[in-house]
Amino acid sequence: MSSSPADLVRAFHLAVGLDARSTPTEVSPELAAQRGKLLAEEAAEVAEVSVGGPLDQLAHELADVVYVAYGTALVHGIDLDAVIAEIHRSNMTKLGPDGRVARREDGKVLKGEHYEAPDVSGVLRRQGWSPYGE
Ligand SMILES: [Mg+2]
C-alpha cells in the first residue's frame, strides 16, 4: 500500500468508522462544522509552537494539520492530491519566462503577468462534482 497522506488518512477513517466519500459532496452543516473546528484547533496548535518550538512539537502539529486537512477532504469526497497539483500548477506560473519571480519588499512572491489562477472548481468537476444541482 502507498504511504501517501491521502492513503494513510483513508485507512484511518475506514478503521475507526469515520466518513470517507469518493465523490465531491456537500455534507451536513453539523459534520462540516465539526471538521472545520478540528482543523482550526490543529492550526491553533501550530501557531502556539511556531516561534518557541520545540521543533519536534512543531513537526507534530504541522503533521496534525495535514492529517486533519486530508481527513476533511476525504469526508467531503475531495481528492486533495489533485487539488494540490492544481494549486502547484498555478503557483509555478508566478515564475516569469526568464525563470525569475517578482517579490514584494517583505519577500512575498507576487503574481506576474503570466500568472494563471488555480481552477479548483474544474478539478472538482472532473472528480464528479455538480455544484448547485447542475
Ligand atoms: Mg495537534
Side-chain angles (χ1 to χ4, degrees), residues 5-108:
D7 288 341
L8 298 176
V9 171
R10 178 179 292 277
F12 174 68
H13 275 230
L14 295 178
V16 302
L18 290 172
D19 286 28
R21 293 179 178 79
S22 52
T23 303
T25 309
E26 278 79 11
V27 302
S28 72
E30 294 77 17
L31 180 55
Q34 180 199 48
R35 294 304 310 187
K37 186 162 172 273
L38 269 180
L39 194 51
E41 285 172 6
E42 295 300 348
E45 288 171 7
V46 168
E48 278 172 26
V49 297
S50 282
V51 176
L55 200 55
D56 62 337
Q57 196 61 39
L58 176 60
H60 183 151
E61 300 307 345
L62 286 171
D64 281 351
V65 165
V66 172
Y67 205 97
V68 172
Y70 268 92
T72 299
L74 180 61
V75 163
H76 290 267
I78 295 166
D79 176 354
L80 196 58
D81 287 340
V83 179
I84 289 172
E86 174 60 8
I87 299 293
H88 174 67
R89 184 200 64 74
S90 166
N91 279 340
M92 292 302 283
T93 65
K94 291 175 180 173
L95 283 167
D98 57 358
R100 305 178 72 123
V101 293
R103 287 182 189 275
R104 204 166 63 187
E105 259 180 32
D106 65 1
K108 180 184 161 93

